[in-house]
Amino acid sequence: MNSDETQGNGRVALVTGASRGIGAAVAQRLLDRGYRVAATSRSGHAPQGALAIEADVTDPSHVDAAFARVEQEYGPVEVLVSNAGVTKDTLLVRMTDEDWSGVIDTNLTGSFLVVRRAARSMMRKRFGRIVLIGSVVAGLGSPGQVNYAASKAGLIGVARSVARELGGRGVTCNVVAPGFIATDMTRELGDELRAEYLRRIPAGRLGEVDDVANAVEFLCADASGYLTGAVLPVDGGMGMGR
Ligand code: NDP
């Protein structure tokens, strides 16, 4: 094992929404760095080597059962990456109550549920790293994404409040705010919209899931203990200053 692979020191990490896309890349990265990783999603798919757990983040009993399983297999969760997220895009006047609550329930309430469940043992251990996957649209706004942008903006309030509550206990809480990352979530966008986004990205390309995994890995490290309540953009410069 080289020094890179021992960075995680066998710490126990839980990544939600780790069946594909950004979550799977984050779980894989933490595995590569020597963390013991539990990967949760509704489908239960997970990178090889992770503890695969079926759990819907909108259901408190699923969340509790997932954490109990990790505690049984690996011990208390020390690193939490709340990544599970959905979109339900449509213009404001057409947005139904269900479009709104479905996105808020998964992205915002789901994050609240996993953070709350993780906090107690982190406080007891006087160590914890919590990373919430937000979005550049929290600051920019986005037509057709009132529900999604609100859910991601809400995560900043969650992270900064948790950072204040738990800072003295060695627990950090930060947001990683990706821009436009090539995953299933963005594959559906038409060519025109894709070209429009590209014009707005100083880096001149879409992001890769590994770009996000780099930032998450950094915030999860033991050495990042003095970095909390931050919003770290991974957007090729798209949201500068927001
Ligand atoms: P994907 O659609 O590729 O993956 C979403 C993941 O979330 C899947 O693993 C899915 O698994 C899981 N998931 C969805 N709903 C639930 C639920 N209720 N309970 C548990 N797991 C759930 O999305 P991305 O990888 O692109 O996005 C990951 C995160 O990054 C999201 O929070 C997204 O908002 C954010 N983001 C993405 C950007 C992008 O450009 N791609 C930009 C900015 C932010 P399953 O279906 O098996 O449950």
Side-chain angles (χ1 to χ4, degrees):
M1 224 184 231
N2 65 34
S3 60
D4 260 358
E5 286 168 327
T6 55
Q7 270 173 10
N9 291 325
R11 287 206 184 275
V12 178
L14 186 150
V15 183
T16 69
S19 63
R20 58 177 189 270
I22 292 168
V26 167
Q28 185 61 58
R29 177 64 64 87
L30 296 179
L31 283 167
D32 292 345
R33 295 295 183 254
Y35 292 78
R36 286 174 291 162
V37 179
T40 73
S41 65
R42 290 167 303 182
S43 65
H45 296 304
Q48 207 176 4
L51 177 64
I53 300 176
E54 267 179 51
D56 185 330
V57 292
T58 66
D59 185 331
S61 69
H62 284 209
V63 169
D64 191 49
F67 274 80
R69 172 93 192 282
V70 180
E71 284 157 4
Q72 193 181 21
E73 302 270 343
Y74 290 160
V77 170
E78 299 167 291
V79 172
L80 171 67
V81 183
S82 179
N83 163 81
V86 292
T87 51
K88 195 78 174 64
D89 297 354
T90 187
L91 293 173
L92 172 66
V93 293
R94 293 200 200 117
M95 191 170 282
T96 64
D97 295 356
E98 291 72 31
D99 294 337
W100 169 264
S101 55
V103 169
I104 297 291
D105 287 354
T106 304
N107 301 5
L108 185 56
T109 309
S111 291
F112 161 69
L113 292 173
V114 292
V115 170
R116 184 178 63 180
R117 183 58 176 77
R120 199 174 293 272
S121 60
M122 287 181 176
M123 286 164 69
R124 215 177 291 125
K125 272 207 143 185
R126 304 190 78 81
F127 178 89
R129 297 282 179 269
I130 301 172
V131 178
L132 311 179
I133 305 298
S135 169
V136 67
V137 305
L140 285 177
S142 176
Q145 293 196 305
V146 165
N147 48 2
Y148 184 75
S151 73
K152 296 301 188 179
L155 292 179
I156 298 173
V158 171
R160 291 188 166 156
S161 302
V162 171
R164 289 187 191 281
E165 276 194 35
L166 306 187
R169 306 290 192 102
V171 179
T172 66
C173 188
N174 293 289
V175 173
V176 165
F180 194 149
I181 311 296
T183 68
D184 288 353
M185 192 177 264
T186 47
R187 204 153 290 144
E188 305 302 312
L189 294 171
D191 288 345
E192 208 174 304
L193 200 51
R194 185 176 291 258
E196 167 59 26
Y197 274 119
L198 274 175
R199 273 194 290 279
R200 291 163 51 194
I201 303 171
R205 65 169 177 88
L206 302 192
E208 303 292 334
V209 290
D210 275 338
D211 293 320
V212 183
N214 288 340
V216 174
E217 177 192 349
F218 170 65
L219 291 172
C220 291
D222 279 27
S224 297
Y226 203 58
L227 208 175
T228 194
V231 180
L232 180 56
V234 184
D235 62 3
M238 188 178 173
M240 273 188 282
R242 305 298 167 93

